[in-house]
Amino acid sequence: PIYESSAILNVSAFDLNAVSSGSYTVGSGGDYTTWVLAFADIANLTGNLTFTLISDVTETSVASITESLGGFTFICTSNLPHYGNVNNGWKISLNYSGNGIVVSPEGPGTVNIHDLYFVRVAADGGNGNIACNTVTTGFTANIHDILHDGGPSNWGSPMDWNSTTPILNMWNCVAWDHTYGYYLRGVNASSIVENCTIKNTTNDGFFIGGQAFTVRNCVGIENTTDFDQIGSATGYNNASDDATAADGNWASGSGNIINITPANEFVSLVDTRSEFLQPTKGNLHDGGIAPSIAGNIAGIRGVARPSNTFYAIGASQLFDVDVAAGNYTIGTLGDFPTFNTAFLQI
């Protein structure tokens, strides 16, 4: 005899693209243990969908979304924001060679990625911690308040954006020690990148790729080239420690500062200190222009943007580090990298 029950196929829920709306957690004890598993479960959205990181995680392959947003919002965030402090927040360790999170969904809709902390822990020649490939139908991507650590040997890239269809709004991102910097080789002309900082890339800090979008209040230091292929872009109040951010190198713009001295502009240049890339009362403080992205109302450390004209260049508004008493050290591993930096805080 033939029994119907013998033909039943037992399929795990994680073999189906089952998640199309709602809020889920990623990490130890969460709904998904990794971003890869979470992204693999995404179906075409039928409502807003949020993934929240709840612990440190190690990823061993690429997490990618290509499904339709359906006019809804897809969010990736953390329940323990770092607030610009390299010693805080949950970390996403990328233990392989390849892109990290790839956002290539079909629009319309919105992608919000914020308050995450990426660390490269395996060799990689320049793939993006966050990436976007070719997209047919546009959406808006808001990427902000992200830390990107390239690891001990300058691996990977904080961003590899290669689609001119979606609009990219990026602000308050800080990256250091990568092979490539913000690799913006295909970007919609309506996109804006502002208040981002990058330090010590083997190649370009900001690679604009001849794209015609707007870059404001960004700073590059100790990169082989701070700003590259910017001749079609608009640049306002950016800064570099070489001459590449100069006004004349942009298609239009003004207020750009060149040849800054990094040790005089940041409280610390050491990536293990809580004050790492926190601005001093130097050229970057009050050297910027009013942000143009609607959501850019505070620096990466949570200090509100002012209501007057005193905006910072880089990811942080000036944090109160004034000193009136006490003992402090000066030098590479000290409280301040130079006497000038220390004296500015008195």
Side-chain angles (χ1 to χ4, degrees):
I2 298 176
Y3 297 97
E4 291 287 337
S5 60
S6 66
I8 295 175
L9 179 63
N10 184 18
V11 180
S12 166
F14 286 101
D15 294 328
L16 304 173
N17 293 107
V19 174
S20 59
S21 65
S23 296
Y24 302 88
T25 53
V26 177
S28 178
D31 298 304
Y32 303 94
T33 54
T34 64
W35 289 101
V36 171
L37 291 176
F39 275 53
D41 207 27
I42 298 173
N44 292 334
L45 269 59
T46 59
N48 296 336
L49 175 62
T50 299
F51 289 141
T52 301
L53 186 65
I54 60 170
S55 74
D56 292 335
V57 294
T58 297
E59 302 289 329
T60 57
S61 59
V62 180
S64 179
I65 176 174
T66 58
E67 287 75 16
S68 173
L69 296 173
F72 297 104
T73 300
F74 175 55
I75 301 172
C76 298
T77 188
S78 171
N79 74 343
L80 186 65
H82 47 72
Y83 294 117
N85 184 338
V86 295
N87 298 313
N88 290 343
W90 303 126
K91 295 180 177 63
I92 303 169
S93 296
L94 302 180
N95 191 25
Y96 62 96
S97 179
N99 291 320
I101 289 178
V102 178
V103 286
S104 298
E106 293 299 329
T110 304
V111 173
N112 293 336
I113 301 176
H114 59 91
D115 294 302
L116 300 182
Y117 189 165
F118 293 91
V119 182
R120 288 280 175 179
V121 297
D124 181 274
N127 290 289
N129 299 337
I130 300 174
C132 179
N133 298 319
T134 302
V135 173
T136 302
T137 308
F139 61 91
T140 298
N142 300 312
I143 299 175
H144 62 96
D145 295 275
I146 309 289
L147 290 180
H148 300 277
D149 180 357
S153 299
N154 289 65
W155 293 323
S157 162
M159 171 80 77
D160 184 2
W161 200 268
N162 190 27
S163 181
T164 58
T165 306
I167 294 173
L168 171 64
N169 294 318
M170 184 170 76
W171 69 97
N172 288 359
C173 294
V174 176
W176 65 98
D177 296 351
H178 288 83
T179 305
Y180 290 94
Y182 299 108
Y183 202 50
L184 307 173
R185 52 195 173 125
V187 179
N188 187 289
S190 297
S191 299
I192 301 172
V193 173
E194 62 188 16
N195 292 103
C196 291
T197 301
I198 190 160
K199 174 185 182 290
N200 190 36
T201 59
T202 306
N203 293 281
D204 301 325
F206 292 88
F207 178 81
I208 307 303
Q211 305 297 299
F213 62 96
T214 300
V215 183
R216 303 158 61 98
N217 296 346
C218 291
V219 57
I221 59 169
E222 299 180 0
N223 308 292
T224 299
T225 303
D226 289 334
F227 292 83
D228 196 14
Q229 296 191 25
I230 62 176
S232 297
T234 299
Y236 288 104
N237 298 74
N238 301 290
S240 62
D241 66 354
D242 58 19
T244 56
D247 286 350
N249 291 340
W250 304 88
S252 60
S254 62
N256 298 287
I257 302 171
I258 62 173
N259 299 324
I260 64 171
T261 301
N264 291 338
E265 302 297 339
F266 298 98
V267 176
S268 177
L269 298 174
V270 181
D271 66 5
T272 57
R273 297 191 64 88
S274 62
E275 304 89 354
F276 178 57
L277 297 184
Q278 179 176 316
T280 67
K281 296 175 181 176
N283 293 301
L284 305 183
H285 174 52
D286 296 350
I289 191 173
S292 53
I293 300 173
N296 188 7
I297 60 174
I300 193 172
R301 292 177 178 264
V303 179
R305 306 282 183 212
S307 57
N308 48 35
T309 60
F310 301 110
Y311 301 95
I313 296 174
S316 297
Q317 285 296 128
L318 184 71
F319 192 74
D320 184 7
V321 291
D322 293 343
V323 294
N327 297 313
Y328 298 88
T329 56
I330 295 172
T332 301
L333 298 177
D335 298 302
F336 301 97
T338 65
F339 278 101
N340 183 67
T341 303
F343 289 178
L344 283 170
Q345 304 311 123
I346 295 175

